Amino acid sequence: MWGDLSIALVCSAISLDCLSKLHHCYLIDLKLYILSADKIDSHVLSSIIDFTIRIDCGGSSNFTNEFNQTWIADQFYTGGIKVQLPDQQKFKFSQEKTLRSFPITGGKKNCYEVGVPNGVYYVRMFFVYDNYDNETHAPSFDVSIEGTVVFSWGSEAWTEDNIKFGAYSDVFTPIEDSVATICFYSIGTDSPLVGALELVQVDPNCYNKVLHENILLVNYGRFTGGSSSFGAGMSKETDITGRAWDTDLDFTQSAANRVVLTTDQGIKNANRAPNYFPMYLYQRAHTLSYEDTLEFLLPIDPKLDYMLWFHFAEIDPKISASRQRVFDIVVSGKIVFHNVDIYKEVGNYAVYDLQFTARNLTNATLSVKLVPHTGAPLISGLENYALLPKEVPTDPIDVKAMRAIKRSLLIPERMGWNGDPCAPQNWDAWEGVTCNHGESKEILILTHLNLSNNLIKGGIPEGLGKGLLRVVDLSFNQLSGPIPRSLSSSNLRTVLLNGNRLSGEVSEALYSIGVTGGYVNLSDNDALCGVPSLPACSLLWEGSHMSIGSKVAIAFGVIAGVALTLVAAYIIIKRKNSEDYKFGLPHKLASSGRGTRYNRQKSRPKYEGDSSPYVRNIFNRSGY
């Protein structure tokens, strides 16, 4: 009684820090989809709520396009500049007319960091060069998502069409830390760029739950058997997961006798969880005018494995029984599905999908053939995804500490401290950071931090030194304040803080690093105290902070000072009442204060014995 039902309720909303850890406000699309076919049961009726955000990189204002998609002005980036493309009229969609460029002066690594709910996401990006900088040289750069390199834009990727008109690239990825981190890394001195960024939350069980296995799915070809492209943001025939489907003309070797079948009749089992393959996909099909092999050639990277999804629906009214259309599916010369008979399996006007994983490939082109036994083969669509293992991330404790350092010390942009400090591993780590595998090989750890000679200001944040850091070198900067207790970690073997403006008590634990075979240098600082070869700390210091007693004493001192001031003011007023009302000449009043003024000269305190605030043989003035 329900028939084929497809209902989409789309709402625009403002998120005020409720879905973002980044404390920004932004527009989102919040979609509630209710999708069903002929019956109402748990397999047919599905409801999903997904988080979607679309960023017009380089754009200055929000807009809603002809497909009712909300795009927001450029934000959530760590650096770079906005660029207006010179020939905007040739681009069909508004989000394609601007881009964000990341000049090398802002560091080799820049990112978008977008607060999102944890889950599985479809991420799509648009890239175009169009000679915007008059350099006639398209930039070379890598793109990573969640610390894993997913795209490499080099000379092979920048075809003439891609340079002039741009190209979309997409990937399915899990996000587990409530922040989607998409980073761009310069190859050489080129400036990475991006024109648009979309994140669409999808069903976590999509594509056979492969995304639960620390795998990313990178699109190496997704096409329809129809005569034109369709999908989210490309046509009124949409795909609720955000996917776009290209025409197969660029992949097929059978264009001469190609026939496209179409129907408006509903397709049973379309739009179902967890993949939500759209009904429009199955209402179009590529077949041949006579019985012949239908072949597709897919460009790939043979070092990776690939997941192939084959989509079929028998929409030819001439096929009314089994064994009227039968064919084999051959991948790289091997039969992977034998005697495929769509009508026999599901009848007509119904979804029939097959999935195969191709491994141990040797060629840069993957051959897919539909070889007929009876009748001409038919296909509605094909997807080819590279199975990309997620790279090992940096220890979250180290990441938290490094981000605190970045905030506290105002690390210069040129150092590229964005994204994961250590991943991807084939990129350089953050400048001044050395990383290694942990014992389990499932996580990366920071072992060395060298930020010496960078004119960094501020205080050293508490937490630095925790984890498995072995060496910390913050020498010859402009750091001030106390030394945090965390820099006394038992894992540290070298701590270099010389040439700064640090003050306060040095802990016994930090001192012991130098005594037990490590190396500590605290020379040339303002006023450190508390361990051998340094002066004793005054009562004002307790640990690395002012003691409670000193705070109380200062409070009493302030109160006493205020009281004395009030008494003095009272006496002066009394005297004025008896004498000053004579209105003496100004020079007489001024002369009465002669000899009461004094100058206080600042001087560096002299310490008994050695005047230099360092411990001999441990806090070595000469550095390292």
Side-chain angles (χ1 to χ4, degrees):
M1 104 185 188
W2 288 86
D4 293 313
L5 176 67
S6 178
I7 301 175
L9 175 64
V10 183
C11 307
S12 293
I14 296 287
S15 173
L16 298 176
D17 193 33
C18 59
L19 293 172
S20 172
K21 289 186 175 180
L22 302 181
H23 304 287
H24 290 289
C25 304
Y26 49 89
L27 285 169
I28 63 171
D29 281 344
L30 185 62
K31 300 185 178 71
L32 171 64
Y33 294 101
I34 304 175
L35 305 164
S36 68
D38 1 358
K39 298 180 180 179
I40 303 300
D41 57 39
S42 60
H43 298 288
V44 179
L45 181 62
S46 302
S47 297
I48 61 170
I49 296 178
D50 74 302
F51 175 89
T52 298
I53 185 168
R54 295 182 171 91
I55 302 173
D56 179 18
C57 302
S60 299
S61 59
N62 304 332
F63 67 90
T64 300
N65 65 15
E66 59 186 295
F67 308 115
N68 205 31
Q69 291 180 329
T70 298
W71 287 81
I72 64 171
D74 200 5
Q75 53 191 287
F76 307 121
Y77 47 81
T78 61
I81 58 174
K82 293 181 178 181
V83 174
Q84 298 280 337
L85 292 176
D87 188 9
Q88 294 189 356
Q89 293 183 349
K90 70 181 179 184
F91 296 101
K92 182 176 181 181
F93 303 117
S94 297
Q95 71 271 14
E96 299 174 352
K97 299 178 180 182
T98 60
L99 58 84
R100 175 156 293 273
S101 173
F102 302 100
I104 192 65
T105 52
K108 290 181 70 67
K109 182 179 181 181
N110 276 278
C111 307
Y112 277 80
E113 296 175 342
V114 186
V116 298
N118 288 341
V120 174
Y121 283 80
Y122 172 78
V123 182
R124 180 166 65 176
M125 286 172 267
F126 178 70
F127 301 94
V128 65
Y129 173 54
D130 200 29
N131 196 30
Y132 76 90
D133 56 2
N134 296 316
E135 295 290 336
T136 65
H137 166 69
S140 295
F141 59 94
D142 286 346
V143 182
S144 73
I145 297 178
E146 298 299 285
T148 300
V149 176
V150 292
F151 310 127
S152 291
W153 283 91
S155 57
E156 294 183 4
W158 284 116
T159 64
E160 185 175 350
D161 277 351
N162 288 347
I163 289 174
K164 290 182 178 180
F165 303 105
Y168 287 87
S169 300
D170 62 74
V171 59
F172 287 90
T173 179
I175 294 175
E176 301 168 341
D177 61 354
S178 300
V179 178
T181 304
I182 299 95
C183 295
F184 307 85
Y185 182 81
S186 171
I187 304 299
T189 58
D190 288 352
S191 299
L193 53 81
V194 61
L197 172 61
E198 303 171 72
L199 295 101
V200 180
Q201 190 175 15
V202 298
D203 193 310
N205 295 320
C206 65
Y207 293 101
N208 288 353
K209 302 182 180 180
V210 68
L211 293 154
H212 291 247
E213 303 170 5
N214 286 325
I215 294 292
L216 283 70
L217 297 179
V218 182
N219 177 20
Y220 268 71
R222 182 193 302 113
F223 55 81
T224 167
S227 57
S228 61
S229 302
F230 79 95
M234 298 182 65
S235 69
K236 61 185 178 69
E237 297 84 14
T238 190
D239 181 323
I240 67 170
T241 65
R243 289 169 300 216
W245 299 79
D246 294 326
T247 176
D248 64 2
L249 289 174
D250 291 335
F251 303 96
T252 184
Q253 299 298 298
S254 312
N257 59 336
R258 180 176 187 262
V259 174
V260 175
L261 302 178
T262 65
T263 183
D264 292 328
Q265 185 165 332
I267 307 297
K268 294 187 290 292
N269 299 326
N271 286 327
R272 285 203 178 188
N275 297 308
Y276 298 95
F277 296 126
M279 184 177 296
Y280 190 81
L281 172 66
Y282 300 99
Q283 292 175 324
R284 305 290 183 270
H286 180 166
T287 186
L288 301 175
S289 58
Y290 52 85
E291 187 174 306
D292 196 3
T293 297
L294 177 55
E295 181 178 15
F296 301 97
L297 297 178
L298 310 177
I300 61 167
D301 179 350
K303 297 188 293 293
L304 300 173
D305 297 334
Y306 292 82
M307 175 185 283
L308 294 160
W309 281 74
F310 300 90
H311 303 288
F312 306 99
E314 185 56 79
I315 61 173
D316 188 345
K318 297 177 183 178
I319 303 298
S320 57
S322 60
R323 292 183 293 189
Q324 291 182 335
R325 189 194 308 277
V326 181
F327 55 90
D328 292 341
I329 299 178
V330 180
V331 177
S332 292
K334 177 183 177 181
I335 297 177
V336 297
F337 295 104
H338 185 56
N339 290 335
V340 176
D341 188 335
I342 303 169
Y343 192 96
K344 178 182 177 181
E345 297 296 333
V346 296
N348 57 7
Y349 302 104
V351 168
Y352 184 55
D353 293 332
L354 295 171
Q355 183 267 319
F356 172 75
T357 300
R359 306 183 187 276
N360 303 317
L361 301 171
T362 56
N363 296 321
T365 301
L366 183 64
S367 170
V368 176
K369 294 181 180 180
L370 277 59
V371 181
H373 290 293
T374 304
L378 171 148
I379 189 169
S380 299
L382 176 62
E383 296 175 273
N384 182 32
Y385 295 106
L387 298 170
L388 191 64
K390 185 178 180 181
E391 289 206 30
V392 176
T394 304
D395 188 328
I397 295 176
D398 288 338
V399 174
K400 184 177 180 181
M402 297 304 291
R403 287 177 176 168
I405 293 171
K406 179 182 177 181
R407 291 191 299 268
S408 177
L409 303 185
L410 302 178
I411 300 297
E413 286 187 1
R414 59 178 170 77
M415 297 185 70
W417 275 36
N418 301 305
D420 189 301
C422 304
Q425 294 181 64
N426 63 331
W427 294 3
D428 292 334
W430 285 5
E431 185 176 336
V433 172
T434 302
C435 307
N436 287 298
H437 276 284
E439 293 181 2
S440 66
K441 304 295 184 181
E442 295 178 358
I443 204 162
L444 288 168
I445 58 174
L446 272 66
T447 58
H448 294 66
L449 174 63
N450 184 349
L451 296 177
S452 59
N453 293 285
N454 274 294
L455 300 177
I456 296 172
K457 299 179 180 180
I460 303 174
E462 183 64 49
L464 177 60
K466 293 180 180 179
L468 297 176
L469 265 177
R470 304 282 292 173
V471 175
V472 172
D473 185 356
L474 300 178
S475 60
F476 302 109
N477 284 293
Q478 298 175 17
L479 302 174
S480 58
I483 299 173
R485 290 283 183 179
S486 56
L487 275 180
S488 304
S489 167
S490 59
N491 291 311
L492 286 167
R493 304 311 301 151
T494 301
V495 179
L496 307 179
L497 303 176
N498 50 299
N500 282 287
R501 301 169 182 173
L502 300 171
S503 59
E505 184 179 29
V506 177
S507 69
E508 290 287 345
L510 177 57
Y511 174 78
S512 68
I513 293 174
V515 174
T516 57
Y519 182 58
V520 178
N521 191 341
L522 304 179
S523 62
D524 298 323
N525 277 286
D526 281 352
L528 294 174
C529 60
V531 296
S533 297
L534 290 178
C537 293
S538 69
L539 294 177
L540 293 178
W541 291 99
E542 182 180 273
S544 59
H545 303 282
M546 189 173 290
S547 66
I548 295 176
S550 63
K551 293 178 181 177
V552 172
I554 291 173
F556 276 113
V558 170
I559 293 172
V562 171
L564 288 173
T565 301
L566 291 174
V567 171
Y570 175 77
I571 293 171
I572 291 172
I573 291 172
K574 293 291 291 181
R575 287 182 176 178
K576 284 184 176 181
N577 288 338
S578 60
E579 299 177 5
D580 290 352
Y581 284 171
K582 297 177 182 178
F583 297 100
L585 294 176
H587 74 275
K588 289 185 177 181
L589 293 175
S591 65
S592 65
R594 288 181 182 175
T596 63
R597 291 173 294 178
Y598 66 94
N599 294 321
R600 178 174 294 167
Q601 184 175 0
K602 293 183 180 179
S603 61
R604 189 180 184 89
K606 296 287 185 179
Y607 300 118
E608 185 177 347
D610 191 348
S611 62
S612 301
Y614 69 95
V615 179
R616 285 191 185 279
N617 301 323
I618 301 173
F619 301 165
N620 190 343
R621 180 184 293 276
S622 61
Y624 68 103

